[in-house]
């Protein structure tokens, strides 16, 4: 599937892109509110958002949680991102070493695949195209791979009156990749879920909460740690959950 080109960004959209990339380059992370992300993503082909967001209602339970929790649902897919386009790879397991994930690392984890329709959804392709643009802009030419190995995770974290949902059960962490994008899809009846950013000495250097659909965080994984505080229901009688898309890029 070809990558949506972004050859005709307006001056305003170039300013939005600069506002995203400048703090990421300088500080290792960037928080961009939906009001800025939506028009920028629209230039990369954002469409059919409602269909994309609705797909979070059809995820599978993550049965690899070493803490025994059943509060996380997910689907997973891998792609190759190049200057020539976006290609989905055959389904494969997700693997992290215990150096990066002390809770669930060290094993191959097979999750339900992202459905074919969502894998081709223009909202997802726009997010991948923009993330590829950011990675290309901020990676020195001598270090740029011919293709970025890209993993996408659809996450739903559920909370109940008796058990908080853990967006990052492994705690403050790095993912062992080059770039990370975390995009809010939906928050339903939850409190908290604050993202904190820490430098390599684990000193907190920033915090924010993704609250609106398309609120987005970008992270240079080699420079900072990140984590998210547990989420709890606001109204204990109603379903409570946090839906996000996580995209990671690393050298092939």
């Amino acid at each position: 599937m070809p990558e949506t080109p972004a050859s005709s960004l307006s001056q305003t959209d170039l300013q939005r892109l600069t506002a995203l990339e400048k703090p990421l380059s300088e500080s290792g992370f960037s928080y961009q509110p939906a009001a800025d992300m939506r028009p920028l993503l629209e230039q990369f082909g954002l469409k059919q958002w409602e269909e994309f967001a609705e797909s979070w209602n059809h995820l599978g339970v993550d049965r690899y949680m070493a803490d025994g929790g059943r509060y996380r649902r997910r689907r997973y897919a891998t792609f190759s991102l190049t200057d020539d386009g976006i290609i989905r790879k055959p389904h494969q397991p997700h693997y992290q070493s215990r150096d990066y994930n002390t809770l669930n690392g060290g094993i191959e984890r097979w999750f339900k695949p992202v459905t074919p329709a969502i894998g081709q959804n223009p909202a997802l392709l726009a997010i991948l195209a923009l993330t590829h643009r950011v990675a290309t802009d901020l990676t020195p030419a001598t270090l740029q791979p011919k293709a970025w190995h890209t993993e996408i995770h659809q996450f739903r974290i559920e909370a109940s009156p008796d058990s908080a949902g853990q967006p990052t059960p492994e705690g403050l962490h790095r993912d062992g990749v080059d770039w990370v994008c975390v995009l809010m899809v939906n928050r339903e009846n939850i409190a908290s879920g604050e993202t904190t950013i820490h430098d390599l000495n684990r000193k907190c250097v920033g915090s924010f909460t993704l609250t609106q659909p398309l609120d987005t965080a970008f992270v240079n994984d080699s420079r900072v740690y990140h984590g998210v505080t547990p989420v709890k229901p606001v109204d204990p009688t109603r379903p409570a959950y946090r839906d996000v898309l996580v995209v990671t890029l690393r050298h092939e």
Side-chain angles (χ1 to χ4, degrees):
M1 62 185 75
E3 180 173 337
T4 304
S7 57
S8 58
L9 291 180
S10 69
Q11 187 62 37
T12 299
D13 288 315
L14 286 172
Q15 290 172 350
R16 290 190 178 101
L17 185 62
T18 299
L20 187 167
E21 292 180 342
K22 189 172 186 289
L24 183 56
S25 175
E26 294 177 349
S27 304
F29 71 99
S30 178
Y31 162 69
Q32 296 298 308
D36 293 326
M37 281 297 296
R38 180 176 288 277
L40 185 56
L41 282 168
E42 286 173 348
Q43 297 306 308
F44 286 79
L46 179 70
K47 296 178 183 177
Q48 299 179 27
W49 171 259
E50 291 76 16
E51 174 188 339
F52 183 60
E54 196 279 333
S55 70
W56 264 255
N57 293 321
H58 309 287
L59 309 184
V61 175
D62 183 342
R63 301 187 182 279
Y64 291 93
M65 299 299 297
D67 63 2
R70 290 292 182 266
Y71 52 81
R72 182 156 75 177
R73 296 179 180 273
R74 68 196 294 174
R75 285 185 185 265
Y76 171 76
T78 58
F79 293 80
S80 177
L81 303 189
T82 71
D83 290 340
D84 295 326
I86 299 170
I87 299 174
R88 185 166 181 174
K89 297 183 177 184
H91 193 52
Q92 58 188 268
H94 176 52
Y95 180 84
Q96 290 175 296
S97 75
R98 287 195 175 274
D99 292 335
Y100 290 101
N101 190 329
T102 56
L103 178 66
N104 298 316
I107 61 170
E108 291 187 345
R109 290 180 282 166
W110 286 91
F111 301 116
K112 282 189 173 184
V114 171
T115 65
I118 295 304
Q120 300 177 56
N121 182 282
L124 175 63
L125 298 184
I127 294 163
L128 294 180
L130 174 58
T131 305
H132 179 248
R133 170 69 180 264
V134 171
T136 300
D137 286 351
L138 298 187
T139 302
T142 55
L143 299 178
Q144 288 185 18
K146 292 182 178 179
W148 291 97
H149 175 72
T150 302
E151 303 181 31
I152 72 164
H153 306 258
Q154 293 181 277
F155 282 116
R156 169 169 287 182
I157 303 299
E158 299 174 329
S160 70
D162 301 324
S163 178
Q166 304 282 346
T168 53
E170 65 272 41
L172 195 64
H173 68 285
R174 292 158 63 201
D175 288 322
V177 297
D178 293 285
W179 304 99
V180 180
C181 170
V182 183
L183 182 141
M184 173 57 61
V185 175
N186 190 28
R187 285 171 61 104
E188 180 65 32
N189 186 39
I190 59 166
S192 194
E194 180 186 41
T195 298
T196 60
I197 306 293
H198 297 245
D199 65 18
L200 297 183
N201 293 317
R202 296 182 178 259
K203 176 185 176 182
C204 185
V205 294
S207 64
F208 47 84
T209 302
L210 304 178
T211 58
Q212 301 299 317
L214 293 175
D215 281 358
T216 305
F218 289 86
V219 172
N220 181 334
D221 195 59
S222 67
R223 293 182 57 187
V224 295
Y225 291 88
H226 62 281
V228 183
T229 59
V231 295
K232 299 179 180 180
V234 175
D235 180 348
T237 68
R238 293 171 45 223
Y241 53 85
R242 178 182 189 264
D243 292 349
V244 299
L245 175 74
V246 175
V247 179
T248 65
L249 274 64
R250 65 172 172 81
H251 285 64
E252 288 275 27

